[in-house]
Amino acid sequence: DSGVTQTPKHLITATGQRVTLRCSPRSGDLSVYWYQQSLDQGLQFLIQYYNGEERAKGNILERFSAQQFPDLHSELNLSSLELGDSALYFCASSVGPEKETQYFGPGTRLLVL
Amino acid sequence: GESVGLHLPTLSVQEGDNSIINCAYSNSASDYFIWYKQESGKGPQFIIDIRSNMDKRQGQRVTVLLNKTVKHLSLQIAATQPGDSAVYFCAAHSGGSNYKLTFGKGTLLTVNP
């Protein structure tokens, strides 16, 4: 158990819908990262927040957004969902803002029908 | 941009043998590398990391070797056990202040009893 929690574990929705994935980092960690894992693209970095502020951006679509709240939990919002958005979404956390070990949560499996 | 690849998509070894998983990266400015292990249905788990000012780093039963000249790193697992069966990812930090990790597609390690 990494100490990072993610909810929900599974999510099934329809195209065009919007969903919110939630992540709670390890106690004491200030950075939260979001990743998407699909069979064809592998593990792709989406976005990082550090202490409430956006720190780095990866391959995140404009339909996706995230935020980190004062209690350091983070939410990833996915809107206008498409079939291709079906994937595993992982949250990871680390103590500092860069070049540190990231601890991954168990993931949310999203299925868009 | 960064691309990180693995030489073999699958590796099968006998229990007790040593395993070597290879990884190549493209960005010569990459300065931080991490190996992750992902078991089925779980999030990636940190194994070991290495910074570009080192050539070798050892952990418990694992060793990472970094060859910056040819932009290659490897993960060696000593006395491989059935519990080591998983997908192994290498990841490279892209360098610079925009922190993000680029992950390879992964190598599936199967340990035969």
Side-chain angles (χ1 to χ4, degrees):
Chain A
D1 184 1
S2 67
V4 178
T5 60
Q6 290 186 248
T7 56
K9 192 166 185 176
H10 301 279
L11 198 49
I12 302 175
T13 188
T15 55
Q17 295 298 304
R18 172 189 168 96
V19 297
T20 298
L21 313 183
R22 182 187 169 101
C23 168
S24 292
R26 294 187 322 156
S27 177
D29 285 359
L30 298 179
S31 270
V32 170
Y33 311 79
W34 285 98
Y35 292 87
Q36 179 193 59
Q37 186 176 41
S38 59
L39 282 174
D40 57 340
Q41 293 293 321
L43 201 57
Q44 299 279 323
F45 168 73
L46 296 178
I47 197 164
Q48 177 202 0
Y49 280 82
Y50 174 70
N51 205 19
E53 299 289 326
E54 182 183 303
R55 173 80 179 178
K57 219 168 195 178
N59 303 321
I60 188 166
L61 300 172
E62 285 192 12
R63 299 184 285 108
F64 296 179
S65 65
Q67 55 184 326
Q68 186 179 29
F69 295 87
D71 67 352
L72 300 177
H73 91 271
S74 177
E75 292 181 355
L76 179 67
N77 300 296
L78 314 176
S79 60
S80 302
L81 285 167
E82 302 174 0
L83 296 177
D85 297 327
S86 296
L88 269 168
Y89 291 84
F90 288 105
C91 166
S93 73
S94 67
V95 174
E98 59 183 62
K99 297 183 188 178
E100 295 185 23
T101 303
Q102 295 180 23
Y103 294 89
F104 282 74
T108 292
R109 185 175 294 277
L110 173 66
L111 181 59
V112 182
L113 299 175
Chain B
E2 177 74 76
S3 70
V4 180
L6 290 159
H7 292 304
L8 290 173
T10 62
L11 176 64
S12 184
V13 301
Q14 291 297 123
E15 182 178 357
D17 287 352
N18 296 333
S19 303
I20 299 176
I21 302 172
N22 296 303
C23 182
Y25 60 97
S26 62
N27 188 349
S28 57
S30 295
D31 57 4
Y32 177 55
F33 307 87
I34 306 176
W35 281 99
Y36 283 92
K37 170 187 178 184
Q38 187 174 21
E39 297 174 276
S40 181
K42 296 184 178 180
Q45 175 188 357
F46 171 85
I47 302 174
I48 192 167
D49 60 1
I50 188 167
R51 300 185 189 273
S52 59
N53 60 353
M54 302 174 69
D55 297 322
K56 179 180 178 178
R57 189 157 189 228
Q58 287 184 290
Q60 187 177 16
R61 284 199 307 117
V62 294
T63 300
V64 56
L65 299 177
L66 175 62
N67 186 330
K68 295 180 286 293
T69 303
V70 295
K71 291 182 283 190
H72 177 273
L73 67 159
S74 66
L75 176 71
Q76 300 176 6
I77 305 173
T80 314
Q81 303 168 0
D84 295 327
S85 294
V87 177
Y88 289 81
F89 295 95
C90 64
H93 178 263
S94 58
S97 59
N98 186 24
Y99 179 70
K100 65 174 183 178
L101 281 180
T102 302
F103 283 78
K105 293 261 196 261
T107 290
L108 173 62
L109 174 65
T110 302
V111 181
N112 302 308

